[in-house]
Amino acid sequence: MSVTAAKGFQAAGIAAGIKENGNPDLALVVNTGPRRAAAGVFTSNRVKAAPVLWSEQVLKSGQLSAVVLNSGGANACTGPKGFQDTHATAEKVAEVLDIGAGEVAVASTGLIGLLLPMDKLLPGVEAAAAQLSEHGGEKAAIAIKTTDTVHKTSVVTKDGWTVGGMAKGAGMLAPGLATMLVVLTTDADLESEALDRALRAATRTTFDRVDSDGCMSTNDTVLLLASGASEATPEYAEFAEAVRTVCDDLGQQLIRDAEGASKDIKVEVVGAASEDDAVEVGRSIARNNLLKCAIHGEDPNWGRVLSAIGTTKAAFEPDRLNVAINGVWVCKNGGVGEDRDKVDMRYREVHIVADLAAGSETAIIWTNDLTADYVHENSAYSS
Amino acid sequence: MSVTAAKGFQAAGIAAGIKENGNPDLALVVNTGPRRAAAGVFTSNRVKAAPVLWSEQVLKSGQLSAVVLNSGGANACTGPKGFQDTHATAEKVAEVLDIGAGEVAVASTGLIGLLLPMDKLLPGVEAAAAQLSEHGGEKAAIAIKTTDTVHKTSVVTKDGWTVGGMAKGAGMLAPGLATMLVVLTTDADLESEALDRALRAATRTTFDRVDSDGCMSTNDTVLLLASGASEATPEYAEFAEAVRTVCDDLGQQLIRDAEGASKDIKVEVVGAASEDDAVEVGRSIARNNLLKCAIHGEDPNWGRVLSAIGTTKAAFEPDRLNVAINGVWVCKNGGVGEDRDKVDMRYREVHIVADLAAGSETAIIWTNDLTADYVHENSAYSS
């Protein structure tokens, strides 16, 4: 399934030896056509990895024939040599597939500041190409994992056409435009402009509202490739909704597998004067370390929600704020509300509603709790 | 010492029973004159505790005769009743000291969203007043502790006059204008305008650049009271520098006692195009959970510094950034620099220098590492 659920795609995932532990670390996704339309969104971090700089450039044509992805190294902050390595990787893919390097997107994930072992990566491209298959989607999804404990795939099938995808991401998970590495494929027959519009609309309310740890990556990449193999051209609205559904599902999977997390927290802001206000408040709540610790301790500490709201520029009056945690309105009109002992926090999902009482706009931001396991995993990651 | 180091002040600290564990929880600081000039800065959080709203109002006169402080409850998000309680506390102080309630500042710290036990607090004010002494500064500093492991005081004595102070603060420590509760006293003879100017100048580059956990409190309060008892009127510049020195020392003590921290991190931004850029970049680095975890693990992970810089709007070119950790330039021109194995991170203080190579402005932000102990302390705080 995954990126090979849609017709017109082949994929592979192999262990090229980039990771020292021998786990799969190289994935290849190929669009066999007949169409090659594509779109992409990338990190808004101003420190961009070499593969992001390359792929942004390549995408300007609105066409992609292949995507090569590696885990085991982000190829970020690696200077001119890092960019040369990305270029050489695309050239190698072009050579083995007999296409142009300008049709090949590159994505990398792993530690920042290390050069990739090209003596392993380039032979790996040949090995992956030899294993390309219409059933290779799952292996590709496995090969892009870093600290992910599970691989993430999602598929929506409509009347005669399909959107599928894979994602990886477990830390440095607060995308500015996208999150970590995601490849979506469809066999719908659409121009790159429609793909771009649908992809930006989808990521804006899905990946862009996942904020696990407030840390924006240098490598975030979301690509959408269309083969046209279904020979179906869906209505734009229906197609956009399918893309949004897949993005939302993959975003949820990212949150559920976030590093060290024991709780998935849905921060729903309602009653906002504008959507921007709702997003700003949701993100402020989602990034509040003290609240994230409290949720970890199953403590419905609404005071920390209010202190987070108070740091924003959103429209609200402090004495009109209301907060519900798992359905109990523990804060009413900026003060003590229903009995906090009524809040049941035994389950993994926690739902916080912050009512700004200032309008009718809403937004949902997803985050995780802050745990000792997160600290452990991220104090030992590069060691 | 502390707030009674300067002439013209008395203080007391007692256990009023506000804290259930019986620890000291009520402090009183009284200016015995002959002058009563005062200034204050408060949290810029828009959700402000009742005592902050009260004290901001009182300070408009530029005069204060007394400050009453309690730990064991923040009196934040407590609605009209919370404000009535603050008012009643000031009235009680006024009654026992035979002054006006409008000369009494109130400060509170502890859990948000709980009403204070006034049946214990008001008798506590009488008990504290009975123990007022020119040697009471240390007891007052002890009584305002919450999760602080040590009390914090600082004194600078110049030619014939003194500035002293006390502070508390261990979590929710990222002041917008001030940090948690600080009371400074001086026996210099100065008008409130000079006090205000010196205090704002001092806090802007001291408390305001302490960012332990990115969480801004609802209760931050810094007060400066001048008795004039020394009969000395120092030069403004010399006085302002003394105030800055005491604030800087207390800010350092706050960082060293931050909840769960094992490392104190000095984030020094140099080569910035403006001071605002330097502060924005410093704060972004200081708030990066992944970097804070890495420092905890004694991992000189400069890639996380660059990813934090990349999220700011500051002027810089990614390929000109340089980063030193404890004196080793591990990142040069946006890529790999000196050998990271040369970085010695065994000691508590860690010094990160981020060179934006875009100008000559600088700023220093102090923060801490992120530890499992922080998570533990803040997931269990209210339980």
Side-chain angles (χ1 to χ4, degrees):
Chain A
M1 302 304 284
S2 164
V3 289
T4 49
K7 283 179 280 185
F9 291 93
Q10 295 187 333
I14 63 145
I18 305 165
K19 287 179 181 166
E20 290 187 1
N21 63 11
N23 283 343
D25 50 20
L26 189 81
L28 193 56
V29 180
V30 177
N31 183 349
T32 59
R35 304 286 297 271
R36 304 286 190 305
V41 289
F42 301 91
T43 185
S44 57
N45 198 310
R46 290 170 58 202
V47 176
K48 296 181 203 298
V52 169
L53 295 172
W54 171 267
S55 299
E56 279 186 331
Q57 199 60 34
V58 161
L59 253 295
K60 288 189 177 166
S61 69
Q63 302 281 317
L64 275 186
S65 293
V67 186
V68 57
L69 309 95
N70 74 275
S71 52
N75 197 5
C77 308
T78 45
K81 179 67 172 72
F83 193 79
Q84 286 167 24
D85 287 347
T86 289
H87 187 180
T89 304
E91 289 283 1
K92 185 72 182 176
V93 172
E95 175 196 327
V96 299
L97 298 179
D98 197 19
I99 56 178
E103 303 165 54
V104 181
V106 182
S108 300
T109 179
L111 262 185
I112 296 172
L114 291 179
L115 289 167
L116 291 171
M118 296 304 288
D119 58 327
K120 291 171 180 162
L121 200 151
L122 296 181
V125 169
E126 291 190 25
Q131 294 192 21
L132 281 168
S133 145
E134 288 170 6
H135 308 286
E138 185 148 9
K139 284 193 174 168
I142 291 169
I144 60 174
K145 287 167 56 189
T146 53
T147 54
D148 307 68
T149 66
V150 294
H151 59 285
K152 289 116 184 158
T153 67
S154 183
V155 175
V156 168
T157 296
K158 306 295 270 188
D159 188 23
W161 54 276
T162 293
V163 178
M166 64 179 184
K168 67 80 50 185
M172 205 172 270
L173 194 51
L177 261 184
T179 186
M180 306 303 289
L181 307 187
V182 178
V183 178
L184 307 175
T185 57
T186 182
D187 46 20
D189 188 0
L190 288 162
E191 299 296 327
S192 62
E193 290 73 16
L195 300 180
D196 187 70
R197 188 173 151 210
L199 187 60
R200 287 182 194 281
T203 55
R204 194 178 74 82
T205 58
T206 56
F207 296 125
D208 197 27
R209 296 190 184 171
V210 165
D211 192 334
S212 173
D213 61 3
C215 299
M216 188 197 296
S217 161
T218 50
N219 287 56
D220 293 339
T221 299
V222 182
L223 301 173
L224 171 59
L225 287 70
S227 68
S230 70
E231 296 178 6
T233 301
E235 289 293 316
Y236 172 76
E238 193 184 11
F239 178 74
E241 179 54 27
V243 172
R244 211 201 71 82
T245 300
V246 171
C247 288
D248 194 40
D249 183 24
L250 290 172
Q252 292 296 309
Q253 292 182 50
L254 292 172
I255 278 290
R256 288 200 294 275
D257 194 32
E259 286 175 350
S262 71
K263 301 280 189 193
D264 307 328
I265 309 171
K266 179 183 185 174
V267 180
E268 182 173 7
V269 181
V270 304
S274 69
E275 187 179 355
D276 283 352
D277 275 10
V279 170
E280 184 192 359
V281 167
R283 207 173 280 284
S284 179
I285 295 170
R287 289 186 175 183
N288 190 279
N289 278 352
L290 288 172
L291 176 67
K292 289 154 74 92
C293 287
I295 300 299
H296 179 53
E298 303 191 343
D299 169 13
N301 195 319
W302 59 267
R304 293 175 180 177
V305 177
L306 260 67
S307 77
I309 297 172
T311 65
T312 70
K313 296 189 173 72
F316 70 85
E317 294 300 325
D319 59 0
R320 293 195 62 199
L321 295 170
N322 306 297
V323 175
I325 301 179
N326 285 355
V328 181
W329 289 94
V330 285
C331 169
K332 288 184 180 175
N333 295 320
V336 181
E338 295 182 66
D339 184 0
R340 43 168 283 153
D341 291 342
K342 287 184 185 163
V343 182
D344 183 353
M345 299 185 71
R346 288 173 296 171
Y347 303 101
R348 184 170 173 106
E349 186 170 322
V350 175
H351 185 193
I352 297 174
V353 180
D355 173 15
L356 304 186
S360 57
E361 296 297 320
T362 68
I364 292 171
I365 302 281
W366 281 90
T367 190
N368 298 102
D369 56 343
L370 181 58
T371 70
D373 286 346
Y374 176 89
V375 173
H376 177 74
E377 189 154 349
N378 286 298
S379 57
Y381 181 57
S382 81
S383 309
Chain B
M1 301 304 284
S2 166
V3 289
T4 48
K7 284 180 279 187
F9 291 92
Q10 295 186 334
I14 63 143
I18 305 166
K19 286 179 182 166
E20 290 187 0
N21 63 11
N23 282 344
D25 50 20
L26 189 82
L28 193 57
V29 180
V30 178
N31 183 349
T32 59
R35 303 286 298 271
R36 304 285 191 302
V41 288
F42 299 91
T43 184
S44 56
N45 198 310
R46 289 169 59 201
V47 176
K48 295 180 203 297
V52 168
L53 296 172
W54 170 267
S55 299
E56 278 186 332
Q57 199 60 35
V58 161
L59 252 295
K60 287 187 179 168
S61 69
Q63 301 280 318
L64 275 186
S65 293
V67 186
V68 58
L69 309 95
N70 75 275
S71 52
N75 198 3
C77 309
T78 45
K81 178 69 171 73
F83 193 80
Q84 286 168 24
D85 288 346
T86 288
H87 188 180
T89 304
E91 289 283 1
K92 185 72 184 176
V93 172
E95 174 196 328
V96 299
L97 297 179
D98 197 18
I99 56 178
E103 304 165 53
V104 181
V106 181
S108 300
T109 179
L111 262 186
I112 296 171
L114 291 179
L115 288 168
L116 292 171
M118 297 304 288
D119 57 328
K120 292 171 178 162
L121 200 152
L122 295 182
V125 169
E126 290 189 24
Q131 293 191 24
L132 281 168
S133 144
E134 288 170 7
H135 307 287
E138 186 148 9
K139 283 193 175 169
I142 292 169
I144 59 174
K145 286 167 57 186
T146 53
T147 54
D148 307 68
T149 66
V150 294
H151 60 284
K152 290 118 185 156
T153 67
S154 183
V155 175
V156 168
T157 296
K158 306 296 269 188
D159 189 22
W161 54 275
T162 293
V163 177
M166 65 179 184
K168 68 80 50 186
M172 206 173 269
L173 194 52
L177 260 185
T179 186
M180 307 304 289
L181 307 187
V182 178
V183 178
L184 307 176
T185 57
T186 182
D187 45 21
D189 188 359
L190 288 163
E191 299 296 328
S192 62
E193 289 74 14
L195 300 181
D196 187 70
R197 187 172 151 209
L199 188 61
R200 285 181 195 282
T203 56
R204 193 178 74 83
T205 59
T206 56
F207 297 124
D208 196 27
R209 297 195 182 168
V210 165
D211 192 334
S212 173
D213 61 3
C215 299
M216 188 197 297
S217 160
T218 50
N219 287 54
D220 293 339
T221 299
V222 182
L223 301 173
L224 171 59
L225 287 71
S227 69
S230 70
E231 295 178 6
T233 300
E235 289 293 317
Y236 172 76
E238 193 185 12
F239 178 74
E241 179 54 28
V243 172
R244 210 201 72 83
T245 299
V246 170
C247 288
D248 193 40
D249 182 24
L250 290 172
Q252 291 297 309
Q253 292 181 50
L254 293 172
I255 278 289
R256 286 199 294 275
D257 194 33
E259 286 175 350
S262 71
K263 301 279 188 192
D264 306 329
I265 309 171
K266 179 182 186 176
V267 180
E268 182 174 7
V269 181
V270 304
S274 69
E275 187 179 356
D276 283 352
D277 275 9
V279 171
E280 183 192 0
V281 167
R283 207 173 281 283
S284 178
I285 295 170
R287 291 186 173 184
N288 190 279
N289 278 354
L290 287 172
L291 177 67
K292 289 154 74 92
C293 288
I295 300 298
H296 179 53
E298 304 192 343
D299 169 12
N301 196 320
W302 60 266
R304 293 175 178 176
V305 177
L306 259 67
S307 77
I309 297 172
T311 64
T312 70
K313 296 187 173 73
F316 71 85
E317 293 300 325
D319 60 359
R320 293 195 63 198
L321 296 171
N322 306 297
V323 175
I325 302 180
N326 285 355
V328 181
W329 289 95
V330 285
C331 170
K332 288 185 179 172
N333 295 318
V336 181
E338 294 182 68
D339 184 0
R340 42 169 284 155
D341 291 342
K342 288 184 184 164
V343 182
D344 183 353
M345 299 185 68
R346 287 172 297 171
Y347 304 102
R348 185 172 171 104
E349 185 170 322
V350 175
H351 185 193
I352 297 175
V353 181
D355 173 16
L356 303 186
S360 58
E361 296 297 320
T362 68
I364 291 171
I365 301 281
W366 282 91
T367 189
N368 298 103
D369 57 343
L370 180 57
T371 70
D373 287 346
Y374 176 89
V375 173
H376 177 73
E377 188 153 350
N378 286 298
S379 57
Y381 181 56
S382 80
S383 306

